[in-house]
């Protein structure tokens, strides 16, 4: 009906150049969702992150089944006032991930 915003994905077989899954929805919400990024983990999952207004969210997706997990809020607007966050996620060597985003705090002090 055009009143929602989705983060979607598809899985592509790079060697064959073909889709291995239909497009699937990772998350859908009535508010605009933007700037998705992902990190490939070693256990058949990817971690997907995105921005919705001042808040940042994530979920895990099982690659072999294209099945998304539950949405998790990883940062909220009470800590900053940037309304156009771009979040990036990268996998570390020990099966942890690190998230980074831009932040326009006044005064330059961290609490």
């Amino acid at each position: 009906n055009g009143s929602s915003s989705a983060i979607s994905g598809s899985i592509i077989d790079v060697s064959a150049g073909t889709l291995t899954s239909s497009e699937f929805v990772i998350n859908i919400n009535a508010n605009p969702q933007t700037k998705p990024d992902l990190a490939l983990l070693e256990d058949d999952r990817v971690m997907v992150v995105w921005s919705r207004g001042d808040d940042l969210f994530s979920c895990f997706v099982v690659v072999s089944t294209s099945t998304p997990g539950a949405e998790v809020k990883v940062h909220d607007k009470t800590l900053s006032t940037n309304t156009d966050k771009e979040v990036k996620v990268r996998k570390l060597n020990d099966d942890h991930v690190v998230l980074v985003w831009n932040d326009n705090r006044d005064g330059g002090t961290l609490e």
Side-chain angles (χ1 to χ4, degrees):
N1 67 10
S3 64
S4 60
S5 174
I7 301 295
S8 301
S10 292
I11 299 174
I12 299 171
D13 180 340
V14 177
S15 62
T18 58
L19 289 172
T20 59
S21 74
S22 298
E23 180 177 308
F24 56 94
V25 175
I26 296 167
N27 187 273
I28 192 163
N29 193 279
N31 297 309
Q33 302 186 113
T34 61
K35 300 182 179 10
D37 192 30
L38 66 85
L40 179 62
L41 306 177
E42 295 173 2
D43 58 356
D44 191 40
R45 295 182 307 156
V46 293
M47 181 180 190
V48 181
V49 296
W50 65 91
S51 175
R52 184 185 315 136
D54 288 331
D55 300 328
L56 303 176
F57 295 87
S58 72
C59 80
F60 293 98
V61 176
V62 178
V63 175
S64 60
T65 62
S66 305
T67 305
E71 170 187 291
V72 176
K73 185 185 283 191
V74 295
H75 176 75
D76 67 39
K77 64 183 175 186
T78 60
L79 299 176
S80 64
T81 58
N82 184 359
T83 60
D84 191 29
K85 290 185 179 75
E86 182 170 355
V87 60
K88 298 289 183 187
V89 59
R90 296 295 180 263
K91 183 191 174 302
L92 302 176
N93 292 333
D94 56 0
D95 208 28
H96 287 80
V97 295
V98 61
L99 303 177
V100 296
W101 59 87
N102 56 326
D103 189 341
N104 293 334
R105 294 177 196 226
D106 285 338
T109 59
L110 296 176
E111 298 176 16

